[in-house]
Amino acid sequence: MNNEVPKSNLLEILRRRQGTYVSGEDLSRLLGVSRTAIWKQVRSLRREGYEIDAQPRLGYCLLSVPDAFYPDEVLTGLKTSWLGRSLYYYDEVGSTNQVAKELADAGAGEGTLVIAERQTSGRGRLGRSWVSPPRKGAWFSLVLRPRVLPAFAPQLTLLAAVAVQAAIRDCTGLALGIKWPNDLLARGRKICGILTEMKAEMDAVDYLVLGIGLNINLQVEDFPPELRDTASSLLLETGRQFVRVPLLQAILAKLEDAYTLWQEEGFAPIRRAWKEANVVLGQKVRLNSWGEIFEGEAVDIDETGALLIKEAGGRVLRFASGEVSLRW
Amino acid sequence: MNNEVPKSNLLEILRRRQGTYVSGEDLSRLLGVSRTAIWKQVRSLRREGYEIDAQPRLGYCLLSVPDAFYPDEVLTGLKTSWLGRSLYYYDEVGSTNQVAKELADAGAGEGTLVIAERQTSGRGRLGRSWVSPPRKGAWFSLVLRPRVLPAFAPQLTLLAAVAVQAAIRDCTGLALGIKWPNDLLARGRKICGILTEMKAEMDAVDYLVLGIGLNINLQVEDFPPELRDTASSLLLETGRQFVRVPLLQAILAKLEDAYTLWQEEGFAPIRRAWKEANVVLGQKVRLNSWGEIFEGEAVDIDETGALLIKEAGGRVLRFASGEVSLRW
């Protein structure tokens, strides 16, 4: 008899029988290991937060699973066919984008997911930091290798905003607004940020790392005082705690769908969806582009994803990047 | 820092850099664990048959992987989208069909793969035993849950024969003949057997377990004397040893394709493929049906997969099951 119990197999059986007892004898036979080995693995699962009841004559019963991004939890019920199926999980990490880039450099394949319960130096756009306290949000990065010219890569950032917005709407009922290019806001406060980084040659993208930070169950006191007026979380907006794993799974599924649509039909359908969910077009905005300030009405995004701003004098300017302020 | 190294993640990185050295420091950073933890996992991988060179200043280099049906090996490079992705691996088991039925009773999902390096009581059709020595063949079972009436389930057996025949042909160049319903023969000797078992209600299949035993690298002395004239292996037929994992992967891919085709277009394309690869139609055969012997020419299979035999007197008989002899 073997003495190592594959944790996934044990969990899968307990999960399928959740709410009923499976005898140690049955588990021992089904998994081809000793009852002692089963018991050892059950204890190890309990340490990870699985509630498993053990009764002398009945056996084992899975009462609840932890809301952690353990590979077994993320993969169970995941609806994607490739996105997130190769998964690197960390309890704590500096920045998931940083790790994802290193893994991509080491050859990690398309769809590789890097996820951490906590980031100690989570990063946002423009070198800003991203508050990432333990088990309160979803801090993760994806390695993508689209066969496109680098000039089209910004489309992927808008695509991600559209997919995450739709997943949150489906799971929570909350329709967040997209601020160009890819922040998700509720009442003007940032709930989700997306940081895309790219390694590319002149004529081809080597890889893109799509980093997503989603504030889920953060309380006011989880944010430093200076962010309390500009940042929020799903909990703060709805008054409800959310189980994080299904939210992540929904986001991955929407992302895979949108990415497939993008590869098959190009940017047009993504652009339409982005325009429906955005809170910038039609508004007076101020845009900071490399330190220079422009003001005017945001009138459209073009085929590459760039923002078009119409100045008071009627001149239309095109911005591929920049920082937009809505209220001024 | 975490102290458990996810074996799959470590292997994936070493695999992607196969032939080059990855430093312990890089692995430690990429996987978020200590260098001691990496070293412990490397030793454990070596015990499983992975050849990993370790050099003081260079780090680790994966030299070769074992030809074992470890989940990591089966899943790496597997082309299916659902078949075989939930995988139960055993070094030794009584019968993979038996375990698969128990897992299916416990709720195992469609596509679940049960695979063992060795069966101690492998079974064939009609209660016969199947010789299954360690690491010489592919002994595995699949849980399928097609939404069909039980009467159509035998089609799946023919489907499996067609898929396995095609995979072996692609991987080895050997075009085995299908003997009705689903044995694969070379020079009249059996190389692969398929045992389908079913749990069904009157109007619906609950699950099917498709058991496949494929003789790959068996030598003459691996067979008991009484089977040496009627059984063979890919090694005995070609003089070549085959790496087993890619063969299994090819079979799973062909099976998934054929199963999808069957669900989308019905039995017609499977029947055509079966007729092309069979060695029974047009031959004089003897059929043993529940102890009664019939003789005649095998003329066709019908829409359900049943064999039609034309007796000397011209009467055509239809058999849904039975044991066919070709030379008599």
Side-chain angles (χ1 to χ4, degrees):
Chain A
M1 263 198 184
N2 207 323
N3 264 322
E4 255 185 70
V5 189
K7 191 189 288 179
S8 304
N9 290 166
L10 173 60
L11 256 181
E12 190 185 335
I13 293 173
L14 291 178
R15 217 189 284 271
R16 287 185 182 281
R17 297 261 192 105
Q18 197 161 356
T20 67
Y21 284 81
V22 190
S23 74
E25 199 184 326
D26 282 356
L27 289 172
S28 163
R29 199 183 57 253
L30 287 171
L31 297 169
V33 298
S34 70
R35 294 176 62 166
T36 314
I38 301 275
W39 170 238
K40 267 177 75 177
Q41 189 62 277
V42 164
R43 275 191 310 185
S44 149
L45 284 168
R46 281 178 175 171
R47 279 193 297 272
E48 293 178 7
Y50 292 88
E51 267 189 277
I52 300 172
D53 189 41
Q55 293 291 340
R57 266 180 302 276
L58 294 167
Y60 300 100
C61 174
L62 179 63
L63 302 176
S64 76
V65 303
D67 186 28
F69 293 126
Y70 298 146
D72 265 317
E73 295 308 309
V74 172
L75 294 174
T76 298
L78 183 64
K79 298 280 196 305
T80 63
S81 64
W82 55 272
L83 192 67
R85 297 214 158 260
S86 175
L87 198 169
Y88 290 74
Y89 167 80
Y90 305 82
D91 190 48
E92 179 181 307
V93 87
S95 138
T96 59
N97 258 39
Q98 186 57 36
V99 173
K101 284 188 289 181
E102 291 179 18
L103 286 168
D105 282 330
E110 172 141 287
T112 299
L113 167 63
V114 174
I115 192 160
E117 300 294 1
R118 177 184 178 216
Q119 294 184 109
T120 52
S121 47
R123 289 180 308 118
R125 286 206 309 141
L126 309 173
R128 291 175 191 145
S129 68
W130 188 270
V131 173
S132 317
R135 301 201 173 201
K136 298 253 176 149
W139 330 119
F140 63 103
S141 300
L142 293 159
V143 176
L144 296 170
R145 298 182 181 274
R147 283 186 207 84
V148 295
L149 293 173
F152 292 98
Q155 296 180 351
L156 199 74
T157 300
L158 303 188
L159 181 160
V162 165
V164 176
Q165 198 271 355
I168 292 173
R169 189 196 55 214
D170 290 357
C171 292
T172 70
L174 200 62
L176 300 179
I178 305 176
K179 193 186 82 167
W180 186 86
N182 56 8
D183 287 334
L184 298 185
L185 310 180
R187 299 182 299 124
R189 288 151 201 249
K190 200 190 280 197
I191 286 190
C192 179
I194 300 174
L195 172 65
T196 313
E197 300 184 82
M198 173 163 62
K199 186 179 171 193
E201 313 259 313
M202 288 310 288
D203 54 351
V205 170
D206 179 10
Y207 62 78
L208 276 153
V209 166
L210 189 67
I212 297 178
L214 172 62
N215 299 340
I216 302 177
N217 295 322
L218 288 86
Q219 307 272 9
V220 172
E221 53 275 22
D222 288 315
F223 294 104
E226 68 274 19
L227 290 182
R228 287 178 189 168
D229 287 337
T230 54
S232 188
S233 71
L234 297 178
L235 168 63
L236 290 172
E237 294 304 314
T238 63
R240 285 185 288 149
Q241 286 261 354
F242 289 95
V243 186
R244 298 175 307 145
V245 170
L247 254 172
L248 173 71
Q249 292 174 326
I251 290 170
L252 293 174
K254 288 280 183 199
L255 271 173
E256 184 176 288
D257 286 351
Y259 189 80
T260 306
L261 184 68
W262 179 56
Q263 296 205 309
E264 285 171 0
E265 301 184 20
F267 186 51
I270 305 301
R271 181 176 175 227
R272 275 196 299 277
W274 189 93
K275 286 174 79 167
E276 273 176 35
N278 95 92
V279 291
V280 170
L281 300 186
Q283 304 291 311
K284 290 239 154 108
V285 300
R286 174 181 289 162
L287 185 136
N288 182 331
S289 173
W290 307 105
E292 207 175 342
I293 305 296
F294 300 85
E295 293 179 356
E297 187 192 338
V299 289
D300 204 354
I301 53 167
D302 71 11
E303 297 71 25
T304 68
L307 182 66
L308 305 182
I309 293 180
K310 189 182 195 174
E311 291 184 312
R315 188 171 64 143
V316 174
L317 301 172
R318 181 182 172 281
F319 297 91
S321 67
E323 179 71 3
V324 167
S325 313
L326 277 171
R327 296 167 301 179
W328 41 287
Chain B
M1 262 199 183
N2 208 324
N3 264 322
E4 255 187 70
V5 190
K7 192 188 288 179
S8 305
N9 289 167
L10 173 59
L11 256 180
E12 191 187 334
I13 293 173
L14 292 178
R15 219 189 283 272
R16 287 184 182 281
R17 297 260 192 105
Q18 197 159 358
T20 66
Y21 284 80
V22 190
S23 74
E25 198 184 325
D26 283 355
L27 289 171
S28 164
R29 199 184 56 252
L30 287 170
L31 297 167
V33 297
S34 69
R35 295 175 63 166
T36 315
I38 302 275
W39 171 238
K40 267 178 73 177
Q41 189 62 276
V42 164
R43 275 190 311 186
S44 150
L45 284 168
R46 281 177 175 172
R47 278 193 298 272
E48 293 178 8
Y50 292 87
E51 269 189 277
I52 300 171
D53 188 41
Q55 293 292 340
R57 266 180 300 276
L58 293 166
Y60 300 100
C61 173
L62 179 63
L63 301 176
S64 76
V65 304
D67 186 28
F69 292 126
Y70 298 145
D72 265 316
E73 295 308 310
V74 172
L75 295 174
T76 299
L78 184 63
K79 297 279 196 306
T80 64
S81 65
W82 54 272
L83 192 69
R85 297 216 158 257
S86 174
L87 198 169
Y88 290 75
Y89 167 80
Y90 305 83
D91 190 48
E92 178 181 306
V93 87
S95 137
T96 58
N97 257 38
Q98 186 58 35
V99 173
K101 284 189 288 181
E102 291 178 19
L103 286 168
D105 283 331
E110 171 141 286
T112 298
L113 167 63
V114 174
I115 191 158
E117 300 294 359
R118 177 185 178 214
Q119 294 184 107
T120 51
S121 46
R123 289 178 308 118
R125 288 207 308 142
L126 309 172
R128 291 176 191 144
S129 68
W130 188 272
V131 174
S132 317
R135 302 200 173 200
K136 299 256 178 148
W139 330 118
F140 63 102
S141 300
L142 293 159
V143 176
L144 296 170
R145 299 180 181 275
R147 283 186 208 84
V148 295
L149 292 173
F152 292 98
Q155 296 180 352
L156 199 73
T157 300
L158 303 190
L159 180 160
V162 165
V164 176
Q165 198 271 353
I168 292 172
R169 188 197 55 215
D170 290 357
C171 292
T172 71
L174 200 63
L176 300 178
I178 305 175
K179 192 186 82 165
W180 186 87
N182 55 7
D183 288 334
L184 298 186
L185 310 181
R187 297 181 300 123
R189 289 151 201 246
K190 199 190 282 198
I191 286 190
C192 179
I194 299 174
L195 173 64
T196 313
E197 300 185 83
M198 173 164 62
K199 186 177 169 193
E201 312 260 311
M202 291 306 291
D203 54 351
V205 170
D206 179 9
Y207 63 78
L208 277 154
V209 166
L210 189 67
I212 297 178
L214 172 62
N215 300 339
I216 301 176
N217 295 322
L218 289 86
Q219 308 271 11
V220 172
E221 53 274 23
D222 289 315
F223 295 104
E226 68 273 19
L227 290 183
R228 288 180 189 168
D229 288 337
T230 56
S232 188
S233 71
L234 297 179
L235 168 64
L236 290 172
E237 294 304 315
T238 64
R240 284 186 289 149
Q241 286 262 355
F242 289 95
V243 186
R244 298 175 307 144
V245 170
L247 254 173
L248 173 71
Q249 292 174 326
I251 290 171
L252 293 174
K254 287 278 182 199
L255 271 172
E256 184 176 288
D257 285 351
Y259 189 80
T260 306
L261 184 69
W262 179 56
Q263 295 204 310
E264 285 172 1
E265 300 183 21
F267 187 51
I270 305 300
R271 182 176 175 226
R272 274 195 301 277
W274 188 92
K275 287 174 79 166
E276 272 175 36
N278 96 93
V279 291
V280 170
L281 300 186
Q283 303 293 312
K284 290 240 154 108
V285 300
R286 175 181 286 162
L287 184 136
N288 182 330
S289 173
W290 307 104
E292 207 175 342
I293 305 295
F294 299 86
E295 291 177 357
E297 186 193 337
V299 287
D300 205 354
I301 54 167
D302 72 9
E303 297 71 24
T304 69
L307 182 66
L308 306 182
I309 293 179
K310 190 182 196 174
E311 291 184 313
R315 188 172 63 144
V316 174
L317 301 172
R318 181 184 171 279
F319 298 90
S321 67
E323 177 73 2
V324 168
S325 314
L326 277 172
R327 295 164 302 178
W328 41 284

